[in-house]
Amino acid sequence: MNASASGMSPRGSISIREVTKIYDPDGAKVLAVDNCSMEIEAGEFCVLVGPSGCGKTTLLNAIAGFHGITTGEIWLDGELLCSGARTPSPGADRIVVFQNGALFPWFTVLENVTFGPVVQGGMSKAEAHDRARTMLGQMGLMGIENNYPSEISSGMRRRVEIARAMMNDPRVLLLDEPFRAMDALTKTVVHQFLLDVYDKSRKTVFFITHDLEEAIFLGSKVYIMTTRPARIKKVLDVDIPRPRDFRALSSATYLRLKQECIEAVHEEALKAFKAGEREMA
Amino acid sequence: MATATATIQGVNWIRLRKKVLSRTTCRGIVSLVGFVVLWEICVRLNVPIIGNVPAPSSVLDALGKQLVSPAYWLSWRDSMIRILTGFVAAQIVGIPIGLMLGVNRMARDTIYPIFEIMRPIPPLAWVPASVIFWPTPELSMIFVTFLGAFFTVVLNIVGGAKSIDIRYIRAAHSLGSTRRDIFWRIMLPATMPSIVVGMTVGMGVTWAVVVAAEMIASQSGLGYLTWRSYVAGEYPVIIIGMLSIGVAGYLSSAGIRVLAGRLTPWLKVR
Ligand SMILES: Nc1ncnc2c1ncn2[C@@H]1O[C@H](COP(=O)(O)OP(=O)(O)OP(=O)(O)O)[C@@H](O)[C@H]1O
Ligand SMILES: [Mg+2]
């Protein structure tokens, strides 16, 4: 919103260059990501879909700085984040919203949302609280500041977690299947929420999901991954205009893209299934 | 959300009234009274075995005398001091050690084996040794009490600290935490529930240990009161000693529960 929108420099472009990740290189040698390259523009809503276990989380964790990669390079705005030789470190410019949620249960909503600014020491506690209240208000999340995460609904928790990320004005939002296992109704609410946040901030979003409809509804580009080891199989440009709402779900473009997506994913799923059978045999 | 807090308060009041007058409470009272009456009757009728136990009436008689006797309250005081000193010391020493073992792999690898060997030794087996090692019997008893809670506390915390979800640590790193922040804002609160469990269990162990230790090695306290009454043949006082220990244990557990609510407020609500 502030620095990013004032146009000092485009923030949040990610360049993934020929990244390979092998888990346990001395032992089992699990090739999770194989020579994968992606160019994500600043402000792009990028969605990754792919079969289970294909290496999506592995890629996201490398961008987040939770673990290194075996070869290749990942760049953020022209800075080298990590390479085969360089172990990355996490930072508040790339915030992750986790698969099962990671709001700290022992902090209230307000304490969670202000956690970043408070530990980074850039803001006084009072200032952080003020900003957090304003932000929660703008996001339609008022009245729950003093509740613990266990006291609010799962949809609410997800939104608070996104708010916590946005408090740090990150360059990239990394979301790893954040809405998995939510009921359809809650999903529509959190989808709209994320779309609003995106429209207002135009942060780069790196979003992982299994749900093709979600992928097309939210994303600007959908990257379909191959079965493990992960590589890009196909990229779809989603040219549905923004701001989007549920009406987009019945547009012709949406239905065409969905069809395309299903075909590509089906092929991979079948391959994964056969590979599984082969391993069993 | 305002409604949620309102109901929480509302429920508390209604619940309180319901609890006092509830069917469960009535049944409890009836059963207790029945038990005491039955006990009295059995003693009067001289039923085998039960007939040897002092009757409630004579216990009540003795209780009247005990309640006004300073010696009785001194027993309470001495036992409580031992419990509190041993218990608090166990927390002060045990919590940091537990956290260190839980967080630091190397510390765990080097120190844990010692724990594994010491842990199965029942605290009471330490009594003779500690009487020899420590200059006064009082210190030796406190030490044994300390041991009773110490292992429980440490083992619980190690378990809790080892099982902290990596997501919390990663999230905290992402949000810009230093190692200090990770310790104080993540590790410590994340293990707090295990610390509380350690305290609750530890308090139970502590009473068991102190009572037995007093019977063996002391001239005061509720355990000693019970044992002395046996030796002196004042049978009703044995029962009073036992009941007092029960009440004291209950009060300590209630205290721990209050403390637990303060330490882990996020678990209380739901
Ligand atoms: N720490 C690890 N050590 C060894 N193998 C691992 C490790 N983490 C993941 N893997 C393996 O690497 C592969 C890719 O895992 P990853 O979690 O990136 O997949 P994913 O695409 O996120 O799957 P899902 O859709 O199920 O979340 C999987 O086969 C997994 O078993
Ligand atoms: Mg995953």
Side-chain angles (χ1 to χ4, degrees), chain A residues 23-24 30-33 50-59 61 99 176-177 180 208 210 228:
Chain A
Y23 281 111
D24 194 11
V30 179
L31 179 58
V33 179
S52 191
C54 78
K56 303 179 295 292
T57 300
T58 305
L59 203 54
N61 282 346
Q99 196 159 324
D176 191 353
E177 297 186 55
R180 186 182 198 168
I208 294 177
H210 273 122
R228 187 170 67 89

Side-chain angles (χ1 to χ4, degrees), chain B residues 175-232:
Chain B
L175 294 164
S177 301
T178 57
R179 288 175 66 116
R180 261 179 94 98
D181 294 320
I182 298 271
F183 180 81
W184 288 105
R185 295 170 196 268
I186 308 297
M187 297 285 194
L188 193 60
T191 38
M192 199 52 90
S194 318
I195 295 179
V196 165
V197 171
M199 282 186 182
T200 313
V201 180
M203 187 48 100
V205 177
T206 303
W207 270 105
V209 170
V210 95
V211 165
E214 282 172 351
M215 290 184 174
I216 303 169
S218 170
Q219 300 296 317
S220 71
L222 290 171
Y224 171 71
L225 174 81
T226 310
W227 187 251
R228 192 216 55 197
S229 310
Y230 160 71
V231 175

